[in-house]
Amino acid sequence: KAGVTQTPRYLIKTRGQQVTLSCSPISGHRSVSWYQQTPGQGLQFLFEYFSETQRNKGNFPGRFSGRQFSNSRSEMNVSTLELGDSALYLCASSLVYSQETQYFGPGTRLLVL
Amino acid sequence: GIQVEQSPPDLILQEGANSTLRCNFSDSVNNLQWFHQNPWGQLINLFYIPSGTKQNGRLSATTVATERYSLLYISSSQTTDSGVYFCAGSGGTASKLTFGTGTRLQVTL
């Protein structure tokens, strides 16, 4: 079975732009969670999607949004980028609940200049 | 929300040595996982262990849910074990994982 895939792997943007990141979960997995990793804040939960519905949300501003499609693929969008949004964005999938074993993708490294 | 503390923050071992990493939780959790992050950033799930003991090769983990802690044991360490080890958990009906700050392990020859 193929693992979790994320595209693109690397991205450079400038302040004020917006960005869309994509995540394809393991086949058959329906829960997709997003995390942001920075040296200062560590790994922080962004949101979780299940059956095209946001099931849980972390403490991030409204500039961070996401969605899930009927095939369980998920996208996250960050609008009006700030320097502090530079981070590794990780996507994780699990069968049904994020309380189950979570499998992470390789991440997207975003640099905001 | 749940707070997660990991110790030690840094660890340097010689190849072949054993080590124990600890994770403490501020509240009870019904979901506890250990991960290894390699130098390229990939997080690999090591154990899903809300309670009890599990073993996988040179790695084993024990969670004592009633005392809100979990231990990860690495035996006969190898250079490929280097990286950052994270524990993460969630409690109640919360579906989000709260991560600790990690233990950075360096295994030297």
Side-chain angles (χ1 to χ4, degrees), chain A residues 8 10-21 36 46 60-65 76-89 108-113:
Chain A
Y10 303 92
L11 207 47
I12 301 176
K13 292 285 188 178
T14 55
R15 279 182 302 173
Q17 287 187 309
Q18 75 164 15
V19 66
T20 299
L21 311 182
Q36 180 197 65
L46 279 157
F60 279 82
R63 300 185 297 107
F64 292 81
S65 62
M76 68 162 282
N77 184 77
V78 188
S79 62
T80 321
L81 284 165
E82 300 177 358
L83 296 179
D85 297 333
S86 295
L88 177 65
Y89 290 89
T108 294
R109 288 193 183 275
L110 172 65
L111 177 61
V112 182
L113 301 176

Side-chain angles (χ1 to χ4, degrees), chain A residues 6 9-10 21 35-39 42-44 46 85-91 105-111, chain B residues 37 40-43:
Chain A
Q6 291 186 246
R9 294 292 311 280
Y10 303 92
L21 311 182
Y35 294 83
Q36 180 197 65
Q37 186 176 26
T38 60
L43 274 153
Q44 293 185 289
L46 279 157
D85 297 333
S86 295
L88 177 65
Y89 290 89
L90 292 160
C91 161
T108 294
R109 288 193 183 275
L110 172 65
L111 177 61
Chain B
Q37 188 168 42
W40 297 272
Q42 175 81 55
L43 269 172

Side-chain angles (χ1 to χ4, degrees), chain A residues 3 5 20 49 53 56 62 67 69 71 73 76-77 103 110:
Chain A
T5 58
T20 299
Y49 286 88
T53 301
N56 206 342
R67 59 177 175 168
F69 301 95
N71 62 357
R73 189 177 69 87
M76 68 162 282
N77 184 77
Y103 298 90
L110 172 65

Side-chain angles (χ1 to χ4, degrees), chain B residues 1-103:
Chain B
I2 292 171
Q3 307 297 316
V4 182
E5 277 186 16
Q6 288 189 246
S7 60
D10 296 280
L11 191 56
I12 300 176
L13 298 174
Q14 268 201 318
E15 199 171 43
N18 303 327
S19 63
T20 301
L21 282 56
R22 185 177 178 104
C23 182
N24 290 330
F25 290 86
S26 62
D27 206 346
S28 59
V29 294
N30 53 22
N31 172 10
L32 194 156
Q33 303 185 34
W34 282 95
F35 298 89
H36 174 223
Q37 188 168 42
N38 64 25
W40 297 272
Q42 175 81 55
L43 269 172
I44 306 296
N45 188 288
L46 299 175
F47 294 102
Y48 171 80
I49 185 164
S51 64
T53 297
K54 289 187 178 179
Q55 180 156 7
N56 184 3
R58 298 180 296 102
L59 301 180
S60 64
T62 295
T63 296
V64 183
T66 53
E67 298 188 24
R68 303 175 191 169
Y69 74 88
S70 183
L71 303 173
L72 177 69
Y73 306 97
I74 304 174
S75 64
S76 305
S77 57
Q78 301 176 358
T79 56
T80 52
D81 295 332
S82 296
V84 184
Y85 289 81
F86 291 99
C87 67
S90 63
T93 58
S95 58
K96 65 174 186 177
L97 283 178
T98 298
F99 281 78
T101 52
T103 292

